[in-house]
Amino acid sequence: MAQKVRTWWGEKFLEVLSSCMDSGRLQRGRAYSSPGRLLKFDIDGSKVTAKIRGNINPYFEVYEEPRYKIAVSLKQFSDSQWHEITADLSHSAALLSQLLLNEMPTDIEKIFSARNLQLLPERAKDLISTCSCPDYASPCKHVAGVYYKIASLLDRDPFLLFQLRGMKFEKLQQALAATDLGEALIDQFGAEDFDLEYQPCRYTVPIPESEKSQDLNTFWEGAGPLPEVGDQPEQQSASALLIRKGGDFPGFWDHSRSLIDMMEPVYDRVVQKNRDII
């Protein structure tokens, strides 16, 4: 069975499937996202193609194990719509700074809804799919399996949503960084901050138990000494920056709540109490 999604954008992405599929097909669709069923999966721009191993079913005169071809995509935004969205994002320092730091803002949908758009699919017409299977239903269980796979990828990289809607995230970041506010924020953070090797997104890929070699000392101290820094600004520009670099679930962290969510308030409190000596 497919791994359960763990982020709000992964869960919301799947909600639209629940609204346009019967529960039986939806449940069977989860099984088709497993490696044993999903033989091929490719993302080319905004298009997703896959090949799924079907079932032998003499009732439907299927006597040899079939291979079904699936193609799915989301409804695209036009170039002019993306231009307007980019302009709207460039007017919000909070949203802009998070996107430049490779974080998905929880309230980003308000930018899209203001223009009667949705980044995450909300209706069946947002999903475009074809499958070579003989099932009359659309979407079928094979298509559902591909969407479950996409939802699991969104857990690791929520910015894939931008690409599926027609705008690669790297291109969006470049456009935002070139705005007046984007340039000001980069100057405030400092170029060194943006040279840090951030995780691809806020929620990192879970590490298998066999590969968990990171301990507490390694996480806090790193492989080498931290670079020297000059005078710090009077107010912290990005809280818990070191914590953010490690992601929400570093190797030693076994709790269900992310390390970032727990540590950011601690950092803010330390800064407030020790402002005179920092």
Side-chain angles (χ1 to χ4, degrees):
M1 183 167 289
Q3 181 181 0
K4 185 178 180 181
V5 294
R6 66 191 304 174
T7 58
W8 65 268
W9 49 80
E11 291 177 354
K12 190 171 181 181
F13 182 83
L14 291 177
E15 284 180 4
V16 68
L17 280 180
S18 301
S19 67
C20 63
M21 290 186 69
D22 66 80
S23 58
R25 279 188 174 86
L26 186 62
Q27 185 65 26
R28 292 194 296 274
R30 294 189 65 175
Y32 283 99
S33 64
S34 65
R37 290 288 186 177
L38 193 59
L39 303 178
K40 185 179 179 182
F41 182 88
D42 293 308
I43 300 178
D44 183 9
S46 59
K47 308 296 182 183
V48 179
T49 57
K51 182 182 290 186
I52 283 182
R53 181 167 62 87
N55 293 319
I56 296 174
N57 193 332
Y59 180 82
F60 290 105
E61 299 182 350
V62 179
Y63 301 104
E64 295 184 6
E65 190 175 72
R67 302 288 191 270
Y68 298 125
K69 295 180 179 179
I70 298 97
V72 303
S73 61
L74 300 185
K75 186 177 179 181
Q76 302 289 286
F77 299 153
S78 66
D79 291 342
S80 61
Q81 287 173 323
W82 273 116
H83 180 76
E84 293 170 346
I85 291 168
T86 302
D88 293 342
L89 289 169
S90 69
H91 295 148
S92 171
L95 296 179
L96 185 55
S97 61
Q98 286 182 283
L99 289 170
L100 291 177
L101 286 169
N102 292 343
E103 293 183 10
M104 177 64 88
T106 56
D107 54 350
I108 193 171
E109 282 286 12
K110 69 181 184 182
I111 295 294
F112 292 85
S113 60
R115 296 193 175 275
N116 295 319
L117 300 171
Q118 296 83 34
L119 179 59
L120 284 155
E122 290 192 347
R123 297 177 291 274
K125 66 179 183 180
D126 291 328
L127 307 178
I128 304 169
S129 62
T130 60
C131 181
S132 62
C133 77
D135 194 341
Y136 65 89
S138 180
C140 65
K141 59 188 178 183
H142 310 111
V143 168
V146 175
Y147 278 122
Y148 269 109
K149 175 64 175 180
I150 295 173
S152 69
L153 293 179
L154 291 177
D155 272 351
R156 299 164 172 79
D157 183 9
F159 305 114
L160 177 60
L161 278 171
F162 295 100
Q163 181 174 332
L164 294 177
R165 288 295 196 180
M167 170 68 80
K168 287 191 174 182
F169 180 61
E170 293 81 2
K171 185 177 179 181
L172 177 62
Q173 271 189 321
Q174 291 172 2
L176 293 174
T179 64
D180 292 341
L181 182 56
E183 291 180 351
L185 286 172
I186 291 175
D187 288 341
Q188 181 184 4
F189 285 132
E192 291 183 1
D193 290 343
F194 285 89
D195 288 337
L196 292 175
E197 295 181 4
Y198 288 97
Q199 297 290 345
C201 64
R202 178 165 173 153
Y203 282 83
T204 56
V205 179
I207 303 174
E209 290 293 332
S210 59
E211 299 179 12
K212 286 188 177 181
S213 59
Q214 188 182 52
D215 56 20
L216 285 171
N217 290 334
T218 303
F219 175 80
W220 289 109
E221 297 176 6
L226 293 174
E228 294 184 3
V229 295
D231 295 335
Q232 295 297 313
E234 221 178 276
Q235 176 140 8
Q236 195 180 28
S237 57
S239 64
L241 197 56
L242 177 61
I243 298 293
R244 290 173 185 268
K245 181 182 177 183
D248 284 77
F249 299 97
F252 66 85
W253 191 252
D254 296 325
H255 299 275
S256 58
R257 184 180 175 187
S258 80
L259 179 62
I260 292 178
D261 287 343
M262 296 188 69
M263 291 301 296
E264 278 185 331
V266 176
Y267 270 58
D268 291 337
R269 184 172 179 81
V270 170
V271 170
Q272 293 297 328
K273 292 186 67 176
N274 299 278
R275 185 173 300 278
D276 294 338
I277 61 175
I278 292 180

